[in-house]
């Protein structure tokens, strides 16, 4: 049974949680008992239909307690594993609605009462959580609206007040935007320390084989086709503001106006442009467009984008190619790291100085400062599982091609080139 304030996102969260368990093989049913808000049943009906979850509700019945009884009885008789009851939103000063909530709880006797908490309301969460806890036996919490700038600090107060654990956090409006709560990752992001484990988990979920890409990075070779493949991988990781928030020392503000939807639209335009390229253009280093500028106009017409965006894409590629050449090749950063791993005492001071210079050339000027200099960068690599001097796999996971879209000087985010399987093969000689 889901309870919470008006506008906290209960109805959407009911569908998200239902879909989460349905994917795990459970038979899930949704029951709408919200007769107070106009359109509540229509919203649950649309969400449930989209997620292909059975639902129960009524346009004519005005008694929420009766609706709850009928819905739960129906799904129990049909041997459903999980039945989710969506209730009306209520404020702690509305005693009648709180009494109604208690009556529904007494009627259906839920195994778990879930308090849906808006992550943006701050310290007011404590007072509201206490009011709900005094009326019904709240067993767990779901925090919503965590896809914005809110850190969810008020949720900690609610947990301390209710004494119930947080089960999920809502990170978007779509039915798939729900994540299991992990205390370490949550607190780490709240303190601005990022969530490297969550980032690597996102990349692992993509199941993309990046062995060929890693060989090219180590050799310092990068084509427009390679950039297109990386863009496709990035688009499957969600909004860039979330990805940036997982990297220590970085935040969504660094993306400027290209965060979230605007950045996603820009990415789509770039992909359309690259999909309109010929094989010769994709496998080139971009100089063919300088020699034959008419190709740019052809691309813009074919992809339905502005000529300016084609120029931006090519500047973006030039920046990325320079980054890959700094990392790969005989004198690249990855080669320096490999040499340091083979030496018993680690990197020689001269090698460390060389590595620092390479990193300064690799990252945009403001980013090294954001990370706290070379010391902060090494600390970030240690969080990735490096242990002392960062190893090759950690650096590859961090630097696997972060494309540049914000004025084509700020890092809009790329994806680490995959789990740590690929780097292992490079160590064999």
């Amino acid at each position: 049974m889901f309870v919470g304030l008006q506008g906290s996102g209960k109805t959407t969260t009911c569908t998200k949680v239902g879909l989460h368990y349905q994917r795990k093989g459970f038979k899930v049913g949704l029951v709408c008992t919200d007769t107070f808000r106009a359109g509540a049943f229509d919203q649950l009906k649309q969400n449930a239909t989209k997620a292909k979850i059975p639902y129960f509700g009524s346009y004519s019945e005005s008694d929420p307690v009766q609706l709850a009884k009928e819905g739960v009885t129906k799904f129990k008789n049909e041997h459903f594993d999980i039945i989710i009851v969506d209730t009306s939103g209520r404020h702690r000063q509305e005693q009648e609605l709180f009494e109604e909530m208690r009556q529904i709880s007494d009627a259906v006797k839920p195994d778990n009462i879930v308090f849906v908490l808006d992550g943006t309301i701050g310290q007011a969460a404590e007072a509201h959580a206490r009011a709900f806890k005094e009326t019904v036996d709240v067993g767990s919490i779901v925090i919503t609206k965590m896809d914005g700038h809110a850190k969810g600090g008020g949720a900690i107060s609610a947990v301390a007040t209710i004494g119930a654990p947080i089960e999920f956090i809502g990170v978007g409006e779509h039915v798939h935007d729900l994540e299991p709560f992990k205390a370490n990752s949550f607190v780490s992001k709240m303190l601005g320390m990022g969530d490297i484990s969550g980032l690597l988990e996102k990349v692992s979920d993509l199941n993309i084989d990046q062995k060929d890409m890693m060989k090219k990075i180590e050799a310092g070779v990068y084509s427009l086709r390679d950039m297109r493949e990386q863009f496709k991988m990035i688009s499957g990781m969600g909004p860039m503001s979330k990805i940036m928030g997982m990297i220590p020392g970085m935040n969504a503000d660094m993306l400027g106006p290209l965060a979230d939807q605007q950045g996603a639209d820009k990415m789509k335009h770039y992909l359309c442009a690259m999909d309109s390229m010929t094989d010769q253009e994709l496998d080139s280093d971009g100089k063919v467009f300088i020699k034959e500028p008419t190709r740019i106009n052809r691309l813009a017409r074919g992809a339905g984008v502005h000529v300016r965006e084609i120029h931006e894409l090519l500047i973006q590629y030039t920046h990325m190619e320079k980054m890959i050449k700094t990392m790969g090749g005989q004198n690249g950063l990855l080669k320096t790291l490999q040499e340091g791993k083979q030496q018993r005492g680690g990197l020689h001071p001269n090698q460390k100085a060389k590595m620092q210079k390479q990193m300064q050339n690799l990252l945009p000027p403001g980013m090294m400062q954001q990370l706290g200099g070379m010391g902060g960068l090494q600390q970030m690599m240690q969080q990735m599982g490096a242990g002392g001097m960062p190893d090759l796999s950690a650096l590859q996971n961090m630097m696997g091609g972060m494309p540049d879209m914000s004025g084509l000087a700020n890092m809009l985010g790329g994806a680490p080139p995959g789990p740590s399987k690929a780097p292992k093969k490079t160590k064999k000689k």
Side-chain angles (χ1 to χ4, degrees), residues 11 32 34-46 59:
T11 303
C32 178
D34 188 352
T35 59
F36 184 77
R37 176 171 63 93
F41 178 47
D42 287 322
Q43 181 187 356
L44 183 137
K45 182 178 179 181
Q46 290 175 7
Y59 289 109

Side-chain angles (χ1 to χ4, degrees), residues 241-294:
S241 60
K242 296 180 189 175
I243 305 303
M244 291 291 280
M246 292 181 176
I247 302 175
M250 302 185 192
N251 54 63
D253 294 335
M254 296 177 67
L255 298 177
L258 292 176
D260 295 330
Q261 189 58 45
Q262 191 172 352
D265 292 342
K266 180 72 73 174
M267 183 86 72
K268 289 178 182 178
H269 291 180
Y270 287 170
L271 281 171
C272 285
M274 287 186 282
D275 287 341
S276 299
M277 292 181 182
T278 64
D279 289 337
Q280 177 191 357
E281 292 167 343
L282 284 172
D283 294 326
S284 73
D285 57 1
K287 293 181 180 178
V288 64
F289 294 100
I290 299 176
K291 295 178 182 177
E292 303 177 46
T294 54

